[in-house]
């Protein structure tokens, strides 16, 4: 291995390590998305009320592998990005007979804002940072080498992408569209390859489709409700495009800084591109354009962070359009400098949230481990070795389920919903906890609602006049009487 390649590898490992350690050392608790991952994944259901299950499963298995250490999910977040970067490299290897361009394609993406600030947590968006490049790589291999193994693997990865997030279906549709539009690829329909992919894909998602039908398509309805059922937003398309520019502006800057000529940004109609290069140009632009047009004409809302995983092939895209006169040392230097800037900005962002906003958002001042210890101690005094089966909380203290003894359930799989503070289930003893102001009516409202069901209650001061109130309740007898 060349010394330059070793430098790239060491830098990538240092980059990933830095963005593991910064949130691990500074952030007060896990982002809410990752807390959700764990109370879903704990149930090992075939689907959940908000999202398909893949990222929740992966989160939970990684969490358990790391001895139930919640902060391990920061490691998972960057490992997921590392997988994506590996396949960005492999895609470039298929396109260019130049390993320097392959490494540079990785570095270009690493200079983008979305590689850091769009990748702060492992969730339904960021899981596609690994699955999209993997899917594109297998598709290019299928059209280039035409092997059944690649077609089969593409079907599997396509199914994984769908059970990661349903928006991946748009990419699969665009890949099918490319097969139809490209005259060289249309010959594949005379082979078994596309049909192997389709059958494998359908079998791969069949169990989740069955689950959705049994649960009134709750996950699909959530996705549609979030994007289409509320007030239409015809400006969402422009917001999405603006965020894409913000996410990738530094990456374009990095490429332009390292290129000795004026860079081309759009493909030439007279360009002599290979089929594989045409696919990368197509898949790097068409899905975003179609999504923006659908939003513009229908008013469908597009999440800004949907775009964080949509242009990971940017480096390869730019190298296809700009063949020569590239200074790889300048790119590496730029990548190191911008990474330091990103690290400083992320540190400041998380530090401000923890140190200066804690009086306005008391979750930044809450030590959930310590609160869980108090609850565990009180539970043991009341019920001895009896297990905590369920926990109901408000959003501010939802991470309690990670630290309470016995890892209690926070999600009701039968009703496809969280265990809410006010609901008629589960029919057993529960821990109920919420954060509120000490002099608010919330505690008295809770007491009035449960009346004789409260077996024990206590509260812990957090900051200023905020407290975490918790109680042990038993609604089993009430529900038996009903």
């Amino acid at each position: 291995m060349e010394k330059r390649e070793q430098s790239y590898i060491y830098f990538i490992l240092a980059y990933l390590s830095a963005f593991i350690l910064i949130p691990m050392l500074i952030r007060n608790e896990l982002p809410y998305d990752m807390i959700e991952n764990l109370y879903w994944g704990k149930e090992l259901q075939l689907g959940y009320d908000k999202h398909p299950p893949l990222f929740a499963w992966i989160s939970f298995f990684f969490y358990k592998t790391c001895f139930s250490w919640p902060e391990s999910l920061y490691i998972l977040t960057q490992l997921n990005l590392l997988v994506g970067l590996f396949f960005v490299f492999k895609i470039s290897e298929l396109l260019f007979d130049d390993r320097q361009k392959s490494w540079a394609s990785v570095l270009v993406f690493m200079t983008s804002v979305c590689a850091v600030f769009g990748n702060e947590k492992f969730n339904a968006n960021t899981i596609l940072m690994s699955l999209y490049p993997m899917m594109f790589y297998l598709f290019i291999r299928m059209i280039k080498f035409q092997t059944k193994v690649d077609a089969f693997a593409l079907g599997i990865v396509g199914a994984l992408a769908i059970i990661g997030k349903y928006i991946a279906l748009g990419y699969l549709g665009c890949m099918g569209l490319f097969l139809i539009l490209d005259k060289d690829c249309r010959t594949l329909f005379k082979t078994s390859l596309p049909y192997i992919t389709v059958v494998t894909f359908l079998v791969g998602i069949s169990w989740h489709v069955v689950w959705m039908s049994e649960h009134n398509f709750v996950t699909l309805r959530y996705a549609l409700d979030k994007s289409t059922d509320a007030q239409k937003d015809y400006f969402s398309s422009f917001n999405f495009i603006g965020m894409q520019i913000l996410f990738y502006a530094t990456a374009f800057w990095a490429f332009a800084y390292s290129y000795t000529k004026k860079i081309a940004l759009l493909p030439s109609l007279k360009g002599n591109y290979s089929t594989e290069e045409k696919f990368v140009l197509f898949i790097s632009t068409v899905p975003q354009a179609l999504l923006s047009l659908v939003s513009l004409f229908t008013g469908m809302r597009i999440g800004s962070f949907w775009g964080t995983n949509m242009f990971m092939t940017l480096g390869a895209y730019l190298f296809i359009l700009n063949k020569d006169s590239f200074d790889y040392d300048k790119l590496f230097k730029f990548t190191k400098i911008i990474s330091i800037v990103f690290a400083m900005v992320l540190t400041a962002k998380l530090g401000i949230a923890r140190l200066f906003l804690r009086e306005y958002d008391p979750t930044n001042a809450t030590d959930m481990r310590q609160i869980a210890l108090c609850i565990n101690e009180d539970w043991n005094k009341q019920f001895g070795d009896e297990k905590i089966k369920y926990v109901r909380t408000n959003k501010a203290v939802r991470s309690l389920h990670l630290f309470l003894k016995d890892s209690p359930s926070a999600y009701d799989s039968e009703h496809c919903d969280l265990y809410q503070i006010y609901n008629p289930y589960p029919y057993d003893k529960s821990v109920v906890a919420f954060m509120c102001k000490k002099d608010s009516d919330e505690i008295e409202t809770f007491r009035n609602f449960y009346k004789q069901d409260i077996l024990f209650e206590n509260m812990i001061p957090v900051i200023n006049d905020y407290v975490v109130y918790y109680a042990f309740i038993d609604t089993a007898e009430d529900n038996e009487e009903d």
Side-chain angles (χ1 to χ4, degrees), residues 111-236:
T111 63
S112 67
V113 170
C114 61
V116 175
F117 298 97
N119 187 50
E120 287 188 60
K121 52 195 175 185
F122 186 69
N123 60 16
N125 285 321
T126 56
I127 192 175
L128 296 177
M129 284 185 161
S130 60
L131 291 174
Y132 276 163
M134 196 184 309
M135 196 163 63
F136 301 158
Y137 170 71
L138 291 169
F139 184 85
I140 293 171
R141 281 190 59 90
M142 185 183 75
I143 61 179
K144 185 171 185 175
F145 302 116
Q146 300 189 14
T147 66
K148 293 180 180 178
V149 172
D150 291 323
F152 178 73
L154 177 60
I156 293 175
V157 174
L160 290 174
I162 292 298
I163 61 172
K165 190 170 184 179
Y166 296 141
I167 196 174
L169 187 61
Y171 270 88
L172 291 171
C174 285
M175 290 160 70
L177 182 62
F178 181 81
L179 287 180
I180 295 170
L181 294 178
D182 188 84
K183 64 179 182 179
D184 295 325
C185 286
R186 281 198 293 270
T187 59
L188 288 178
F189 287 107
K190 297 179 181 179
T191 72
S192 61
L193 299 179
Y195 309 106
I196 291 173
T197 298
V198 170
V199 170
T200 305
F201 168 76
L202 293 176
V203 172
I205 66 168
S206 59
W207 52 269
H208 182 61
V209 174
V210 170
W211 179 89
M212 283 200 298
S213 66
E214 291 175 347
H215 291 80
N216 198 24
F217 295 92
V218 59
T219 314
L220 193 58
R221 285 190 291 107
Y222 170 82
L224 292 173
D225 289 348
K226 192 170 183 179
S227 59
T228 62
D229 277 7
Q231 184 177 358
K232 295 184 183 299
D233 183 359
Y234 292 96
F235 291 98
S236 179

Side-chain angles (χ1 to χ4, degrees), residues 428-458:
D428 208 335
K429 292 187 182 72
S430 306
V431 172
V432 182
F434 54 88
M435 184 183 293
C436 64
K437 288 192 173 182
K438 187 176 182 179
D439 58 354
S440 72
D441 296 331
E442 292 181 60
I443 296 175
E444 197 58 37
T445 300
F446 174 82
R447 287 170 175 157
N448 292 334
F449 184 86
Y450 282 104
K451 297 178 182 176
Q452 304 302 317
D453 297 330
I454 298 175
L455 307 176
F456 175 85
E457 62 181 350
N458 196 8

Side-chain angles (χ1 to χ4, degrees), residues 195-383:
Y195 309 106
I196 291 173
T197 298
V198 170
V199 170
T200 305
F201 168 76
L202 293 176
V203 172
I205 66 168
S206 59
W207 52 269
H208 182 61
V209 174
V210 170
W211 179 89
M212 283 200 298
S213 66
E214 291 175 347
H215 291 80
N216 198 24
F217 295 92
V218 59
T219 314
L220 193 58
R221 285 190 291 107
Y222 170 82
L224 292 173
D225 289 348
K226 192 170 183 179
S227 59
T228 62
D229 277 7
Q231 184 177 358
K232 295 184 183 299
D233 183 359
Y234 292 96
F235 291 98
S236 179
S237 176
F238 298 104
N239 179 64
F240 175 74
I241 293 170
M243 289 300 294
Q244 289 279 281
I245 294 171
L246 175 63
F247 284 145
Y248 294 102
T250 49
F252 281 105
W253 181 16
F255 194 92
Y257 173 77
S258 310
Y259 198 63
T260 57
K261 299 179 180 178
K262 183 178 179 180
I263 66 170
L265 298 180
L266 296 175
S268 170
L269 294 176
K270 297 180 181 180
N272 184 24
Y273 307 120
S274 68
T275 302
E276 295 80 17
E277 289 175 335
K278 289 178 185 176
F279 170 71
V280 171
L281 297 176
F282 181 89
I283 207 66
S284 298
T285 53
V286 172
Q288 296 96 311
L290 290 176
L291 186 61
S292 298
L293 288 172
V294 168
S295 174
L296 182 62
F297 288 107
T298 66
M300 181 185 79
R301 296 184 310 285
I302 308 175
S304 298
F305 282 85
W306 292 9
T308 55
N309 49 49
M310 285 186 161
F311 211 177
M312 293 188 66
T313 50
L314 173 61
Y317 172 92
L318 290 173
F319 276 116
I320 292 168
L321 301 182
N322 304 275
K323 299 289 187 181
D324 51 17
S325 303
F326 196 82
D327 189 328
Y328 298 101
D329 291 332
K330 288 181 72 174
L331 174 64
F332 192 29
K333 179 181 178 181
F334 186 100
T335 307
K336 288 187 285 188
I337 293 172
I338 199 69
S339 299
I340 293 171
V341 172
F342 287 159
M344 293 171 62
V345 172
L346 182 62
T347 301
K349 172 190 169 186
L350 298 181
I352 289 171
R354 181 167 184 172
L355 297 177
F356 301 108
L357 301 181
R358 57 207 308 251
E359 295 190 11
Y360 302 98
D361 181 3
T363 57
N364 291 300
T366 308
D367 184 346
M368 287 300 168
R369 283 184 171 87
Q370 189 60 43
I371 290 173
L373 286 174
C374 294
I375 296 174
N376 286 335
E377 183 178 346
D378 287 335
W379 181 277
N380 290 335
K381 289 177 181 177
Q382 298 295 317
F383 310 114

Side-chain angles (χ1 to χ4, degrees), residues 391-410:
V391 58
R392 317 182 196 189
T393 68
N394 66 354
K395 188 172 181 178
V397 295
R398 194 142 282 162
S399 60
L400 266 178
H401 82 97
L402 301 177
F403 306 109
L404 291 173
K405 77 184 189 84
D406 307 317
S407 187
S409 176

Side-chain angles (χ1 to χ4, degrees), residues 1-13 89 93 99-100 103:
M1 183 183 296
E2 294 184 5
K3 186 176 181 180
R4 177 179 283 179
E5 290 195 7
Q6 288 182 332
S7 298
Y8 292 154
I9 292 172
Y10 293 149
F11 170 73
I12 291 171
L13 293 177
F89 180 89
E93 272 198 323
R99 285 178 65 86
Q100 284 283 7
W103 284 111

Side-chain angles (χ1 to χ4, degrees), residues 74-94:
Y74 294 125
I75 300 174
L76 175 62
T77 301
Q78 300 305 326
L79 286 178
N80 178 67
L81 177 62
L82 180 61
V83 172
L85 296 178
F86 172 78
F87 281 100
V88 167
F89 180 89
K90 298 300 288 183
I91 288 169
S92 299
E93 272 198 323
L94 291 176

